[in-house]
Amino acid sequence: MHRCQPPDAVVWPQNVEQVSQLAALCYSQGVPIIPFGTGTGLEGGVCAVQGGVCINLTHMDKILELHLEDFSVVVEPGVTHKALNTRLRDSGLWFPVDPGADASLCGMVATGASGTNAVRYGTMRENVLNLEVVLPGGELLHTAGLGRHFRKSAAGYNLTGLFVGSEGTLGLITAATLRLHPAPEATVVATCAFPSVQAAVDSTVHILQAAVPVARIEFLDDVTMDACNKHSQLNCSVAPTLFLEFHGSEQVLAEQLQRAEEITQDNGAFHFSSAKEAEERSRLWAARHSAWYAVLALRPGYKGYSTDVCVPISRLPEILVQTKEDLKAQGLTGAILGHVGDGNFHCLLLVDPEDPEELHRVKAFSELLGRRALALHGTCTGEHGIGLGKRQLLQEEVGAVGMETMRRLKAMLDPRGLMNPGKVL
């Protein structure tokens, strides 16, 4: 939905010293700076709305430090989460935050990314220990102190948290110290279909209330399941469906699986099945991660628009049922899916980019969805960020004082307004 707006120039620095020199040069000349990771964001975060220089950080792709005994790692901005987990494969550790696309880890920090494992392992906000940031004038900041990788601290303001989710508007993240987790001893995936959206989401709430320690709970509506069946050669029921994953020992997994099955069946679930073999588990999650392309294939030639919100768990059944009705009322082709274990879900809408009336309906639906989430004490974006598309909703979410505080922080760090201008604020 956010058409490409190219910069005036693109540069590929090889190290943090070059990033610092570039930032100082651009800032002194009044040239906008647009950080670029892998370009997988969905809210127009790398569009050069005022031209300027795009600083492409993909050539800085080293894993700088690995502290296995401390469960931490330091990565440059060109390292993706898949590349990191490939490196960690034989270490007994892994990095669980998985946004679907093979995003860069520092880009994931910048957008406050999340993903399918957040219900157990948290989002990027909970998994970042320290950041190396080049500030707009070229100064180098280590948000928790040079070389530090402690688990907790009560030392002053949380500078690390300030840059998580800042979307390149406060500085360029040139290294991230991340928290690692023990790889699970065993894993099992379960799928189950439901007669209604309400029944599926009620099951999610009940599983969480019963303290079943699920690693993932993914919801896919009937449209998404139909698309995934066709695109990924699955043979699942075309009905609202939950994908669940459990991590732990063999004995613990059996207990978790049994409890989850009991809860889902109490809510009318059918076709409950589980998979322990790695190949079958990978096949199911590959289908889930390919849902974007599966839904696009429903209407060849159309473009996709993805939006997301997050609400308190207790309000999830209400908003999902209403969103399904809103799609029908607007006459839009769209799929609903998401990480419902933490109250976050997405709508994937198909739109003819040459049809202004349909574009208008899609934008109106997106704004309605965001405001509905706010009315239920949720947020207008669970993991996509603000970028270009949700600036008005952000104002409604945090209020006048919240926006003014953000503007003051922005003005203090970036007084010339050159860092990724036009985004967030």
Side-chain angles (χ1 to χ4, degrees), residues 168-245:
T169 62
L170 301 178
L172 299 105
I173 299 171
T174 52
T177 304
L178 305 173
R179 179 181 181 180
L180 301 178
H181 296 258
E185 175 186 329
T187 302
V188 64
V189 172
T191 63
C192 50
F194 293 84
S196 67
V197 171
Q198 181 83 42
V201 185
D202 282 346
S203 290
T204 299
V205 175
H206 296 160
I207 287 171
L208 295 172
Q209 289 175 337
V212 180
V214 288
R216 309 186 196 190
I217 309 181
E218 293 292 297
F219 170 79
L220 299 86
D221 73 351
D222 55 329
V223 175
T224 310
M225 287 310 306
D226 183 42
C228 288
N229 280 343
K230 294 172 180 175
H231 186 265
S232 300
Q233 288 77 53
L234 297 182
N235 190 30
C236 297
S237 300
V238 180
T241 299
L242 290 181
F243 282 19
L244 304 102
E245 185 167 285

Side-chain angles (χ1 to χ4, degrees), residues 329-340:
Q330 290 282 357
L332 296 170
T333 299
I336 301 175
L337 66 160
H339 323 310
V340 289

Side-chain angles (χ1 to χ4, degrees), residues 311-361:
V311 296
I313 296 292
S314 63
R315 312 307 295 269
L316 195 57
E318 177 183 349
I319 193 171
L320 273 173
V321 170
Q322 187 60 60
T323 300
K324 195 76 171 171
E325 294 175 359
D326 290 343
L327 282 172
K328 292 178 181 177
Q330 290 282 357
L332 296 170
T333 299
I336 301 175
L337 66 160
H339 323 310
V340 289
D342 49 14
N344 179 210
F345 70 94
H346 309 261
C347 289
L348 307 182
L349 307 176
L350 298 179
V351 57
D352 179 356
E354 305 305 323
D355 184 342
E357 195 275 333
E358 189 170 46
L359 282 169
H360 175 76
R361 282 187 286 130

Side-chain angles (χ1 to χ4, degrees), residues 97 99 103 107-115 118 122-125 164-165 382-384:
V97 183
M108 290 164 61
V109 174
T111 57
S114 180
T123 70
M124 290 302 290
R125 291 187 184 278
V164 178
E383 59 186 19
H384 290 184

